[in-house]
Amino acid sequence: MRSVCLPFFLVIAVSPAFAEDLPLASAGVNGLPELEFSQLSQRDPNPLAEKALAIHPEQWKHAETEHFIYHFVHGYVATPISVEAEFHYRVVAKELEREQPLTDVKSHIYIFENPEQWQQFQGFGQLEPWTGGIHSMGSLFIQRNPRYRFSGNLLGHEIVHLVVHRFYPDGVPCWLNEGMAQYISKTAHASYQRARGYLAKPHSDSVAAEELIPLTTLIRLTHPPSENVETFYDESEKLVRFLANADKHSFLEFFAALCRHEPFENALSRYYAGKIPNVATLEEQFREYAAKDIGSQLQQVDSD
């Protein structure tokens, strides 16, 4: 049976960067409109949802946008997350060339602000003490320090996981799931920076040949390996980028086939016939590509 990255209980580390302070003020006229819990269009069947909302239940507020439902404490924390969530939904749908998911089920996002309450929830979810978030059964539970923004593509990466799960709920192979989240979130973050007046391109880190995880090993991993996790993420993103750039239509067909649990080798020979006939050829071509640094540093446009 095809190995997949556990789609119903994927632990993720989200570390807020101590960067730009957020104003501790009300959400304002452009804030996320609050709803009573009874007014939400859908309930979350995830068992962790009930446990999360049971932690100081009087504190939770709720809101809803087109594709997501939010549970939070302060609107000024949830509002920017809701904007980024809907933005990434559109980016992922465009990237996958999919208009509608299989169902109209919305993804739930739970935003913890209090470290002690997050630690209590970590006990419920049996998370490692260092984890800052968990993607489980299509829901996202995150810790969010209200004084600081997320750094780079961290939040976008987790939102991509949610949206990909909406389109492919039967599971995505681990390398493909993480590689796609990195690939799309980096591209989306660069687009966001350009909208703010920066010259930005998505950056793809190089992976030295001697550090590469053999593809026959990479494609069968069911979770990121703790001993070389950074290489795993960089290599997975690089492999997604390589295959997508080789032939975007073939990549989307290949992606869908792997999500149907078709063996990697079969899907590769079927959808990249004539270009990448087998894993050995892919390994050879990818090794050179992986060693390249792609993208540029962020530079601000001089508006004067």
Side-chain angles (χ1 to χ4, degrees):
M1 181 176 291
R2 177 76 182 149
S3 296
V4 297
C5 195
L6 303 179
F8 301 118
F9 194 72
L10 177 62
V11 175
I12 39 190
V14 182
S15 301
F18 294 89
E20 301 173 271
D21 285 339
L22 279 173
L24 301 182
S26 64
V29 293
N30 295 319
L32 195 61
E34 295 179 17
L35 295 173
E36 294 294 330
F37 185 77
S38 60
Q39 294 178 300
L40 297 175
S41 65
Q42 299 174 13
R43 298 290 183 267
D44 190 350
N46 192 328
L48 287 177
E50 184 177 351
K51 294 181 178 180
L53 296 178
I55 299 175
H56 287 276
E58 76 284 352
Q59 74 176 353
W60 291 103
K61 300 179 178 64
H62 316 278
E64 189 167 346
T65 57
E66 184 178 0
H67 300 105
F68 299 90
I69 293 174
Y70 310 86
H71 310 276
F72 55 93
V73 178
H74 293 106
Y76 59 77
V77 175
T79 294
I81 291 176
S82 71
V83 173
E84 189 157 356
E86 288 293 342
F87 170 72
H88 277 84
Y89 185 94
R90 295 190 297 271
V91 172
V92 175
K94 181 179 180 181
E95 193 69 35
L96 295 178
E97 297 182 6
R98 300 286 297 269
E99 294 184 3
Q100 295 293 334
L102 296 178
T103 70
D104 60 356
V105 175
K106 294 187 176 184
S107 303
H108 289 249
I109 301 177
Y110 300 80
I111 307 165
F112 288 81
E113 297 179 18
N114 184 287
E116 289 74 24
Q117 292 172 19
W118 175 252
Q119 289 171 8
Q120 187 177 350
F121 178 74
Q122 282 180 314
F124 290 144
Q126 297 181 331
L127 306 182
E128 296 290 343
W130 48 263
T131 54
I134 174 175
H135 169 228
S136 169
M137 295 178 62
S139 300
L140 180 62
F141 304 83
I142 53 176
Q143 182 184 17
R144 177 70 162 89
N145 188 324
R147 291 185 177 275
Y148 302 102
R149 299 183 188 276
F150 280 95
S151 173
N153 65 312
L154 284 174
L155 177 60
H157 177 102
E158 308 312 337
I159 298 299
V160 172
H161 279 312
L162 285 186
V163 181
V164 169
H165 178 81
R166 293 276 300 278
F167 287 100
Y168 295 98
D170 292 335
V172 185
C174 190
W175 73 269
L176 184 58
N177 200 11
E178 297 299 341
M180 197 69 169
Q182 282 290 84
Y183 171 63
I184 294 180
S185 62
K186 285 184 176 184
T187 301
H189 184 66
S191 176
Y192 173 74
Q193 293 288 10
R194 288 195 298 272
R196 296 175 63 197
Y198 290 89
L199 292 174
K201 293 182 180 179
H203 182 76
S204 180
D205 293 319
S206 62
V207 183
E210 64 273 15
E211 297 178 358
L212 283 171
I213 301 169
L215 293 187
T216 52
T217 299
L218 181 75
I219 63 178
R220 287 173 171 79
L221 290 173
T222 59
H223 56 83
S226 57
E227 65 277 7
N228 52 353
V229 65
E230 186 174 349
T231 297
F232 168 82
Y233 279 94
D234 289 342
E235 184 174 345
S236 296
E237 184 268 338
K238 206 79 169 179
L239 183 55
V240 166
R241 189 177 295 275
F242 174 77
L243 291 169
N245 288 345
D247 189 316
K248 181 62 180 295
H249 178 73
S250 294
F251 173 71
L252 293 178
E253 295 287 348
F254 176 74
F255 186 99
L258 293 186
C259 294
R260 295 192 299 268
H261 312 309
E262 185 173 331
F264 184 98
E265 295 83 353
N266 292 5
L268 182 69
S269 61
R270 180 199 300 253
Y271 297 108
Y272 284 91
K275 293 183 178 180
I276 313 174
N278 52 53
V279 176
T281 302
L282 174 61
E283 186 106 46
E284 182 180 349
Q285 295 181 7
F286 176 64
R287 184 176 296 271
E288 180 180 353
Y289 181 85
K292 299 177 181 177
D293 240 16
I294 299 174
S296 62
Q297 298 297 317
L298 189 67
Q299 294 181 333
Q300 191 164 20
V301 177
D302 188 353
S303 57
D304 295 336

